[in-house]
């Protein structure tokens, strides 16, 4: 990722990535959620992540929907497949909704990585997602 000042206007200003794993988010198949940790390195063995993160979940939950593809936000949406993005704080268990309009992610490659972006009310968050069992 770039320094916060290097992102074009409209992009969310995220803390620098932790570690050198090459991805900033993890997809939890069991929770049907993409987690974007804000102050810790994403780690398949720590789901949900410690601290604060964006949590992108898909409807209908548990049906295998997501994360690859293009989805609209669920806000007032009756589409059969859509996404919710929330701001998650594991320290106190709080979850705060964050409005958005679009989410897109490529198919996972042979290394289990996919790229895309999600729109939140804080801006656009670029995604490099690792698929976790």
């Amino acid at each position: 990722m770039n320094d916060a000042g290097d992102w074009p206007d409209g992009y969310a200003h995220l803390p620098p990535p932790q570690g050198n794993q090459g991805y900033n988010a993890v997809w939890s198949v069991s929770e049907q959620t993409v987690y974007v940790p804000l102050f810790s390195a994403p780690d398949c063995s720590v789901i949900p992540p410690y601290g604060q993160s964006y949590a992108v979940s898909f409807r209908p939950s548990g049906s295998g929907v997501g994360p690859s593809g293009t989805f609209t936000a669920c806000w007032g949406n009756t589409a059969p497949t859509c996404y919710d993005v929330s701001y998650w704080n594991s320290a106190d268990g709080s979850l705060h909704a964050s409005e958005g309009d679009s989410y897109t992610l490529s198919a996972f490659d042979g290394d289990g990585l996919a790229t895309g972006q999600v729109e939140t009310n804080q801006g656009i968050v670029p995604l490099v997602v690792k698929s976790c069992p």
Side-chain angles (χ1 to χ4, degrees):
M1 287 180 118
N2 299 342
D3 292 328
D6 292 341
W7 291 113
D9 288 343
Y11 279 74
H13 298 290
L14 299 176
Q18 305 293 313
N20 60 0
Q21 69 283 340
Y23 50 91
N24 68 335
V26 292
W27 162 245
S28 169
V29 174
S30 62
E31 296 194 17
Q32 294 287 289
T33 303
V34 172
Y35 291 101
V36 187
L38 296 179
F39 299 102
S40 62
D43 184 343
C44 288
S45 66
V46 184
I47 293 177
Y50 296 123
Q52 300 164 345
S53 64
Y54 287 110
V56 181
S57 54
F58 298 87
R59 291 189 204 171
S61 159
S63 66
V65 172
S68 297
T70 299
F71 301 90
T72 56
C74 291
W75 296 99
N77 189 335
T78 58
T81 56
C82 56
Y83 80 94
D84 285 316
V85 61
S86 303
Y87 181 72
W88 163 255
N89 185 344
S90 68
D92 61 11
S94 62
L95 190 66
H96 305 280
S98 176
E99 292 186 40
D101 289 324
S102 64
Y103 166 96
T104 186
L105 194 72
S106 69
F108 288 98
D109 66 15
D111 294 325
L113 296 175
T115 59
Q117 65 183 35
V118 63
E119 186 176 343
T120 74
N121 58 3
Q122 290 83 30
I124 296 170
V125 178
L127 298 173
V128 180
V129 181
K130 172 75 173 173
S131 181
C132 298

